[in-house]
Amino acid sequence: MENNDKIKAPCHVAIIMDGNGRWATSRGKKRSAGHKQGAKTLEQIAIYANKINIKYLSVYAFSTDNFKRSAEEVGFLMDLLIYYFNNKLVKLSKEGIRVIISGRKDHLRNDVLESIDNIQKITKDNDRLVLNICLNYGAQEEIVDASLKIANDLESKKITRDSINKDSFYKYLYQDLPPIDILIRTGKEHRLSNFMLYQASYAEIYFSDSYFPDFNEKELDSIIEDFSKVERRYGDVKRIEK
Ligand code: FPP
């Protein structure tokens, strides 16, 4: 997809939803309580993003590295995702929200895979916000997987070398989404943690001190307001200096 439109309103917002665990432990609760509250926050933010006409919202729900966590925490997160894919997010379908999932399928339980199919099928014809949930996801893995798909297409002569460029590369990623305009990371940390590195090449990055369960519409509004004032130059010089 083209990324040289100097737009003011964001089309694609992405969130690294960090701080669920710290939100819970700071309240003397189990980490799982933070994930439960984070899921509620996500539901609220998705409804709001849809209301203000954001077209794409990508969120980091579970990275390939998150499998290193305790079996109890991984199990809880998987059960929570299943509950949202089979129940909560189905209800958002009436708002026109389409849910898509990005990530590798390996290591995921069958009931998780079934719930992924379920929510993607139920919402596939919706034409408002696209909620892209990154699950068992890693950006480096995504770029490697895309490169392997390209190698296969070249080998089978489906494509020629000159058809590969930085725009056509998007079609080989897990989902063909527009570039990210705003990338938000909550939870006080300042890193990208292997999240949508190709799509975030020109994103404006915002680090929020809120733990994700505390992130809200007001904070999103103020980030969007700030974004609307930024001149995105994509390597060009300031317009005033031309
Ligand atoms: C990072 O915080 C968060 C996660 C690994 C899980 C994020 C998942 C949700 C918000 C629920 C998603 C629900 C749906 C329906 C997609 P952390 O646990 O690493 O926090 P910490 O850094 O404070 O420990």
Side-chain angles (χ1 to χ4, degrees):
M1 300 234 175
E2 295 291 327
N3 64 4
N4 54 2
D5 291 333
K6 289 179 174 148
I7 52 167
K8 288 288 178 194
C11 165
H12 189 173
V13 173
I15 310 180
I16 301 175
M17 307 183 287
D18 194 22
N20 291 347
R22 280 164 288 158
W23 181 90
T25 46
S26 68
R27 286 168 171 73
K29 297 182 181 188
K30 287 176 80 177
R31 292 177 58 79
S32 53
H35 296 315
K36 211 168 146 190
Q37 194 60 38
K40 285 187 189 158
T41 299
L42 171 59
E43 203 183 340
Q44 216 175 292
I45 292 292
I47 292 172
Y48 184 66
N50 189 36
K51 187 172 148 206
I52 61 172
N53 289 321
I54 289 171
K55 296 293 171 223
Y56 298 86
L57 176 66
S58 290
V59 293
Y60 210 176
F62 194 89
S63 76
T64 47
D65 292 325
N66 286 151
F67 276 114
K68 293 175 192 155
R69 296 187 178 199
S70 71
E72 185 193 351
E73 185 167 348
V74 172
F76 182 89
L77 275 166
M78 292 302 147
D79 291 345
L80 183 67
L81 289 166
I82 291 176
Y83 174 62
Y84 271 77
F85 296 163
N86 286 338
N87 297 282
K88 285 277 185 186
L89 297 183
V90 173
K91 293 184 189 130
L92 292 195
S93 188
K94 68 176 186 318
E95 318 247 354
I97 296 178
R98 179 174 172 210
V99 179
I100 58 175
I101 313 294
S102 294
R104 285 186 173 168
K105 299 271 183 286
D106 56 351
H107 306 305
L108 290 178
R109 290 169 2 200
N110 276 339
D111 52 353
V112 177
L113 293 171
E114 279 162 20
S115 70
I116 289 175
D117 277 351
N118 181 57
I119 191 65
Q120 292 193 131
K121 266 190 204 133
I122 288 179
T123 63
K124 76 175 171 23
D125 294 324
N126 290 349
D127 60 1
R128 291 199 37 88
L129 176 80
V130 173
L131 174 59
N132 173 40
I133 298 178
C134 294
L135 163 55
N136 193 17
Y137 175 87
Q140 292 179 330
E141 287 83 346
E142 180 176 36
I143 293 167
V144 168
D145 290 348
S147 308
L148 290 171
K149 281 187 230 159
I150 290 174
N152 280 339
D153 280 0
L154 282 171
E155 215 169 279
S156 63
K157 305 213 177 330
K158 208 167 142 193
I159 55 168
T160 54
R161 291 173 73 92
D162 56 7
S163 65
I164 305 300
N165 56 53
K166 61 183 184 170
D167 291 329
S168 69
F169 197 86
Y170 276 92
K171 296 191 185 1
Y172 288 91
L173 297 172
Y174 295 136
Q175 304 285 350
D176 184 9
L177 302 172
I180 294 170
D181 300 303
I182 295 177
L183 172 59
I184 302 164
R185 182 181 184 130
T186 60
K188 303 186 168 107
E189 308 283 2
H190 296 185
R191 21 172 211 272
L192 296 178
S193 298
N194 202 18
F195 182 59
M196 300 190 83
L197 301 178
Y198 195 85
Q199 301 88 335
S201 297
Y202 287 91
E204 296 294 325
I205 306 183
Y206 293 84
F207 296 103
S208 159
D209 282 345
S210 302
Y211 294 140
F212 185 68
D214 289 330
F215 189 73
N216 56 33
E217 293 91 334
K218 207 166 149 229
E219 208 174 339
L220 179 59
D221 269 345
S222 107
I223 289 171
I224 292 173
E225 161 85 24
D226 187 90
F227 171 85
S228 71
K229 296 179 193 145
V230 171
E231 192 198 348
R232 303 171 84 200
R233 298 192 293 276
Y234 302 100
D236 202 345
V237 291
K238 271 190 173 178
R239 267 177 242 168
I240 205 158
E241 291 167 3
K242 277 185 146 183

